Amino acid sequence: MRFETLTIHKGNLITDSAKPVVQPITLSTTFEHGAGEMMYTRANNPNRKALEDLLAAMEKGADAAAFSSGNAAGTAVFQALEPGSHIVAPDDMYHGLHNSMVQLFEGILEVTFVDMSNLEEVKKAIRPNTRLFWVETPSNPLLKITDIRKISALAKEQKAILACDNTFATPVFQNPIDLGADIVMHSSTKYFGGHSDILGGALITKEVNPFWEKVKIVQRVGGAVPAPMDCYLLCRSIRTLAYRMKGHTEHATILAEYLQNHPNVEKVFYPGLISHPGHAIAASQMSGFGGIVSFMVKGDAKRADEVVSKLKYFANATSLGGVESLIERRASVEGPNTKTPQNLLRVSVGLEHTDDLLEDLAQALD
């Protein structure tokens, strides 16, 4: 099946004898012994199985694990590492997982944060006990691009695991497993859900191996799993993922080009722009550049906040990936240790008419 067909049919597991066209929601927390593979919904559930089968197929993996949030998914990978393991991670990575590494696993794991788009910096960060390379490409919120193939070669040489956060690109535009990743992570809250109303996370593995079995134990025993309704809604939303992503990317490209030429904009971060330092690598491993654009307004944090306050169609809110446009001054929510410029605004470009979005930006920036 092609991707669009797969997303519509693969996640539709029909177990009801009435043969409905759409999978029912199975709310039961327990199942009769001997009646099938299900026993208790924390361990498995028909709706979660449908979602995990779909996720694995979308990312071309051997298996998948669904979680109650993106942070729970990423943290499960860290939990599965042996104590004393060293991680190489991006210095501009999503702050929730950054906090997981440095707060939850302080004294248990070691981590070095580097510019993952700079291969020499990555090489210098490697230690004898490096067991995990964590990649986020495009990164949040600076939209840096990491060469997955080259990091994969380093990981194999080190006999370490390469995990890639593919939330921004989605499997519509990038398949990290094809590029050498061992595990792919998603915040399914974002583009998979697509409507800002589902919390979830996911991991997909290239192969079922002892490390993956540890991850599955963390999922099953730790219990940070999504409810059947959330799994059902994600399968439902993923049916339109390919078409939504095409729209998000088309709109983001238009906005990025407009912002790049605006006199009150200092700098634009979008890998689809030829001027982006990672454009060539992005073009070699992505088929589209996603729906997130970051830009720095000319001026300070106060000026950036003024721009946000004037906008009508861009909600000043955290998160991304919904059909509505969102904007946020990222430094204001990342805390005092943020490396994000104070005048940087991150935009999750929605599916509104682009003329309305451009007119709104024009009046806010002037």
Side-chain angles (χ1 to χ4, degrees), residues 204-281:
I204 301 95
T205 186
K206 179 180 181 179
E207 60 183 31
V208 176
N209 54 28
F211 184 80
W212 179 251
E213 294 297 345
K214 287 184 179 179
V215 170
K216 294 287 278 190
I217 289 171
V218 172
Q219 181 203 33
R220 186 174 66 252
V221 178
V225 294
M229 174 65 87
D230 292 337
C231 295
Y232 167 84
L233 288 172
L234 278 170
C235 286
R236 187 278 316 269
S237 293
I238 287 171
R239 291 181 172 199
T240 61
L241 177 64
Y243 301 97
R244 286 187 285 107
M245 290 308 299
K246 290 170 187 175
H248 286 301
T249 295
E250 177 188 338
H251 292 190
T253 301
I254 292 170
L255 262 67
E257 290 174 348
Y258 168 78
L259 291 166
Q260 190 176 37
N261 294 304
H262 198 288
N264 294 330
V265 172
E266 181 182 326
K267 188 174 183 180
V268 179
F269 303 83
Y270 185 65
L273 296 174
I274 295 175
S275 59
H276 189 287
H279 175 75
I281 295 172

Side-chain angles (χ1 to χ4, degrees), residues 277-329:
H279 175 75
I281 295 172
S284 75
Q285 62 190 24
M286 302 175 73
S287 59
F289 301 106
I292 306 298
V293 178
S294 292
F295 68 99
M296 294 163 61
V297 300
K298 285 187 177 176
D300 56 11
K302 183 180 178 182
R303 171 59 181 151
D305 287 336
E306 287 174 356
V307 171
V308 173
S309 70
K310 292 180 182 178
L311 291 165
K312 301 173 183 176
Y313 300 131
F314 297 78
N316 181 11
T318 292
S319 200
L320 56 100
V323 294
E324 67 289 323
S325 292
L326 303 178
I327 192 165
E328 182 176 51
R329 189 167 68 82

Side-chain angles (χ1 to χ4, degrees), residues 61-84:
D63 194 18
F67 292 84
S68 55
S69 71
N71 251 34
T75 298
V77 176
F78 312 148
Q79 284 179 281
L81 291 169
E82 293 293 329

